[in-house]
Amino acid sequence: MSSRRPYDAILERVRTILSHDADLETRLQLTVEALHDSMDRYTWVGIYLLEGTELVLASWKGPRETQHQRIPIGRGICGLAARTRETVNVRDVSADSRYLMCFPSTRSEIVVPTLESEKVLGEIDVDSDQLAAFNHEDEAFLKVVADELAKVLESRNR
Ligand code: SME
């Protein structure tokens, strides 16, 4: 594994950030930074929030900005995860016709939806410059992060 810090330590950091008494924008930004900065394989990390029928990019950390600031449900890997409400782990983006290209260097991508019951609130999107960068541990880890995120987004909606 090429991570700099074990998953448990990062999770603890993310939980601390999300429970902090800061505004939502700040907490989301610190979360993507914590994920990006802790894991070598996580080249670009973003959080999209669902607004109507579109995913809107709320926070990101990576080498450069994406042109895909808004993605309709059903489009790309992000839109697929929102439509199916399931994690999509693409080991080789060049072999997946659904993939929407952001960065020429990206080789693999994982998108994990944040759910409140069956409702999609948003999602975590991680791009990697490594082929097949995400394993079952990453899937499980990002799912826990997405669940932590859901708690914050749910309370915002109340
Ligand atoms: N590749 C994504 C688009 C978002 S960028 O990766 C940041 C997709 O296929 O939906």
Side-chain angles (χ1 to χ4, degrees):
M1 202 192 329
S2 64
S3 57
R4 294 186 202 117
R5 298 175 71 192
Y7 293 103
D8 284 353
I10 309 164
L11 260 184
E12 198 180 308
R13 168 99 185 105
V14 167
R15 285 196 174 110
T16 304
I17 290 167
L18 288 176
S19 61
H20 203 265
D21 187 24
D23 59 60
L24 180 66
E25 194 182 327
T26 303
R27 284 183 284 170
L28 296 185
Q29 187 58 38
L30 291 173
T31 299
V32 294
E33 286 174 11
L35 294 174
H36 173 273
D37 297 351
S38 307
M39 307 287 273
D40 293 334
R41 290 168 290 129
Y42 293 14
T43 308
W44 187 96
V45 180
I47 293 175
Y48 285 87
L49 299 182
L50 190 67
E51 288 183 16
T53 57
E54 279 189 326
L55 295 155
V56 180
L57 187 61
S59 296
W60 63 276
K61 172 92 190 269
R64 61 200 83 86
E65 194 174 20
T66 174
Q67 71 195 75
H68 297 294
Q69 302 277 326
R70 302 178 83 91
I71 303 174
I73 292 181
R75 264 205 94 206
I77 305 303
C78 289
L80 176 68
R83 184 169 60 76
T84 59
R85 303 184 196 91
E86 282 178 4
T87 293
V88 183
N89 185 356
V90 180
R91 299 169 59 80
D92 178 1
V93 293
S94 73
D96 197 316
S97 60
R98 301 164 303 186
Y99 172 69
L100 285 178
M101 210 251 273
C102 287
F103 318 111
S105 56
T106 300
R107 307 290 304 280
S108 59
E109 176 170 23
I110 187 168
V111 182
V112 182
T114 284
L115 304 171
E116 178 185 16
S117 305
E118 285 298 287
K119 197 171 123 205
V120 177
L121 302 174
E123 54 188 38
I124 302 169
D125 176 18
V126 188
D127 289 18
S128 181
D129 286 355
Q130 288 180 36
L131 193 64
F134 310 106
N135 57 27
H136 291 305
E137 279 186 297
D138 293 287
E139 288 181 20
F141 164 67
L142 290 170
K143 179 80 175 67
V144 178
V145 175
D147 288 347
E148 293 292 328
L149 198 54
K151 290 182 204 162
V152 175
L153 297 174
E154 279 168 24
S155 59
R156 176 193 64 154
N157 290 341
R158 270 193 207 111

